Amino acid sequence: DAKTTQPPSMDCAEGRAANLPCNHSTISGNEYVYWYRQIHSQGPQYIIHGLKNNETNEMASLIITEDRKSSTLILPHATLRDTAVYYCIVRANNAGNNRKLIWGLGTSLAVNP
Amino acid sequence: GAGVSQSPSNKVTEKGKDVELRCDPISGHTALYWYRQSLGQGLEFLIYFQGNSAPDKSGLPSDRFSAERTGGSVSTLTIQRTQQEDSAVYLCASSLRPPGASTDTQYFGPGTRLTVL
C-alpha cells in the first residue's frame, strides 16, 4: 500500500503557482520524500527530493513540515507543459531497507490557459 | 547524455505467447528497476538489480515473469505464456548510486506498452 495521500486532481491557472500537497503521516526518520511527475504517455520524471529541510531546484520547491508528516511541492510559475500526474513517494535510503518506490495514484494537475 | 531507452515501444501479442522487453540503462548506473503501470494506476514494482548482488524479485507477480541483467548493463524482462491481465506499460528505471548512499534518484525510460489480445 502507498504510504502517501494526495488529492486526486487539481487545477491551476497558467503563470500562477501550483501548490501540490502530500500527507505522509507514517513517515520514518530515515525516509526521504521524493516527487516525480508523469506527463501523458511518458515515463516518470524526477523533480525533487528532501529529508527535513526545504529544497529548491530549477524545477520546483519542496516544503516539508517540521513534523515531516506532510509536504508541499510548489511549481512557482506553472505552464501548460506542467500538466501531468504528480507523485509523492516516501522511501528509505538505507541499505537493507525496502529499495523500491511505492507509488500511489498521484495528483493529476491541469494547468489551464 | 543518453537517457534510459526501452524497446519495443509497443508490443501486441496473442494470449499464451512469450514476450521479451528490453531496457538499456544510463551508462554507469549500477541499479536497474522494472515497474509496470496499468491504465490509470500508479507504478507497481517488479524487480530490482544492484551490481552483482542477487536481484530483488519480490514484486514479480508470478513465475511467468523473469528478468536478467547481463554484464551489469542491459536488462531483459520476459513474460511467458502471456495473459490479458499482463497488458500494461512496462517501465524501466536506472540510478547511479546504490540505496545505501544518501540519494537514489531513479531515471525512467519511456516504457513499453504491452497489449495481450
Side-chain angles (χ1 to χ4, degrees), chain A residues 4 21 24 37 39-40 43 47 50 53 58 72 75 81 105 107:
Chain A
T4 63
H24 31 80
R37 72 179 182 185
I39 296 170
H40 183 61
I47 301 174
N53 300 323
E58 65 277 5
T72 301
L75 307 178
R81 288 176 295 180
L105 297 179
T107 295

Side-chain angles (χ1 to χ4, degrees), chain A:
Chain A
D1 294 334
K3 296 182 179 181
T4 63
T5 305
Q6 299 177 253
S9 63
M10 292 183 65
D11 286 286
C12 177
E14 188 178 18
R16 297 282 194 170
N19 298 293
L20 293 94
C22 179
N23 287 322
H24 31 80
S25 58
T26 61
I27 193 170
S28 300
N30 64 348
E31 288 183 317
Y32 285 71
V33 180
Y34 282 80
W35 283 83
Y36 284 77
R37 72 179 182 185
Q38 188 172 26
I39 296 170
H40 183 61
S41 296
Q42 297 183 21
Q45 175 191 22
Y46 166 80
I47 301 174
I48 199 168
H49 75 283
L51 182 63
K52 296 179 182 178
N53 300 323
N54 298 336
E55 302 287 345
T56 296
N57 63 19
E58 65 277 5
M59 291 183 68
S61 294
L62 175 60
I63 308 298
I64 302 174
T65 58
E66 190 170 345
D67 62 7
R68 303 211 320 122
K69 294 185 177 182
S70 65
S71 61
T72 301
L73 179 75
I74 301 173
L75 307 178
H77 305 287
T79 70
L80 298 179
R81 288 176 295 180
D82 292 323
T83 293
V85 178
Y86 286 77
Y87 295 96
C88 168
I89 302 155
V90 296
R91 182 190 173 281
N93 277 329
N94 294 337
N97 285 349
N98 187 344
R99 300 175 180 88
K100 54 184 177 280
L101 299 176
I102 300 176
W103 300 70
L105 297 179
T107 295
S108 179
L109 175 68
V111 180
N112 304 309

Side-chain angles (χ1 to χ4, degrees), chain B residues 4-83:
Chain B
V4 177
S5 60
Q6 293 185 245
S7 61
S9 55
N10 282 284
K11 177 70 176 179
V12 180
T13 190
E14 294 180 347
K15 178 181 174 181
K17 300 283 189 182
D18 298 352
V19 295
E20 285 190 353
L21 312 179
R22 177 186 169 107
C23 172
D24 285 84
I26 294 173
S27 178
H29 278 196
T30 58
L32 188 147
Y33 302 77
W34 281 99
Y35 296 85
R36 74 175 174 181
Q37 186 174 30
S38 300
L39 187 64
Q41 301 297 311
L43 276 67
E44 175 189 4
F45 168 79
L46 296 177
I47 189 170
Y48 158 77
F49 295 91
Q50 172 56 53
N52 295 322
S53 301
D56 178 352
K57 304 179 182 180
S58 60
L60 294 179
S62 78
D63 58 7
R64 296 187 295 105
F65 288 72
S66 63
E68 291 184 340
R69 188 178 186 194
T70 55
S73 180
V74 172
S75 178
T76 302
L77 177 69
T78 301
I79 309 173
Q80 296 178 311
R81 306 181 302 280
T82 53
Q83 304 294 314

